Amino acid sequence: MNAEHLFRFQTLDIYRAARELAQRVHCARIRDRELRDQATRASKSCFLCLCEGLPNEGAAMRHKYFVEARNSLAETVGAVDLAAAIGVMREEDADAIQALGSRVRRMLTALLR
């Protein structure tokens, strides 16, 4: 994307990390249909809730979207952890997603303060 046309929130580290998280979940190619669906929907929801909350000027609405993003993040890492545990995704992919999830969680926690 041309940086000249980005919204301000698209330049934030949390935006980029959450987008990368969703991308990695999608590319992980989880072999269990149900877990793949849960993980990809949750990672997309985390990213999109963040996109709704970041530009929002109302404190209550920002909080609502950030809580939803945090909840979807937890679902994402849970689905990925289970997928790795039952052997339907590569452990390396799960580790990378877990690390990104921890990074996004720290940033979301700071936004919720």
Side-chain angles (χ1 to χ4, degrees), residues 16-31:
R16 291 182 177 159
R19 185 179 71 183
E20 183 181 348
L21 178 82
Q23 179 185 31
R24 283 184 177 258
V25 169
H26 177 78
C27 292
R29 306 232 185 259
I30 298 169
R31 293 182 303 277

Side-chain angles (χ1 to χ4, degrees), residues 1-13 15-16 19 47 50-52 54-56:
M1 260 192 236
N2 185 341
E4 177 183 331
H5 301 292
L6 295 178
F7 287 81
R8 187 171 103 41
F9 71 89
Q10 289 177 288
T11 65
L12 299 175
D13 190 36
Y15 174 90
R16 291 182 177 159
R19 185 179 71 183
F47 175 71
L50 186 67
C51 289
E52 287 188 87
L54 286 171
N56 205 307

Side-chain angles (χ1 to χ4, degrees), residues 33-93:
R33 182 188 55 78
E34 190 175 10
L35 283 174
R36 181 178 57 250
D37 181 58
Q38 286 292 125
T40 55
R41 283 189 305 108
S43 65
K44 290 172 186 177
S45 176
C46 175
F47 175 71
L48 294 173
C49 285
L50 186 67
C51 289
E52 287 188 87
L54 286 171
N56 205 307
E57 293 181 15
M61 291 304 290
R62 283 176 63 89
H63 187 268
K64 171 192 176 298
Y65 288 121
F66 295 157
V67 166
E68 288 178 16
R70 185 184 60 194
N71 293 346
S72 292
L73 176 63
E75 183 180 3
T76 300
V77 297
V80 165
D81 185 38
L82 181 56
I86 65 173
V88 295
M89 74 177 295
R90 293 177 352 129
E91 194 71 39
E92 302 81 38
D93 291 334

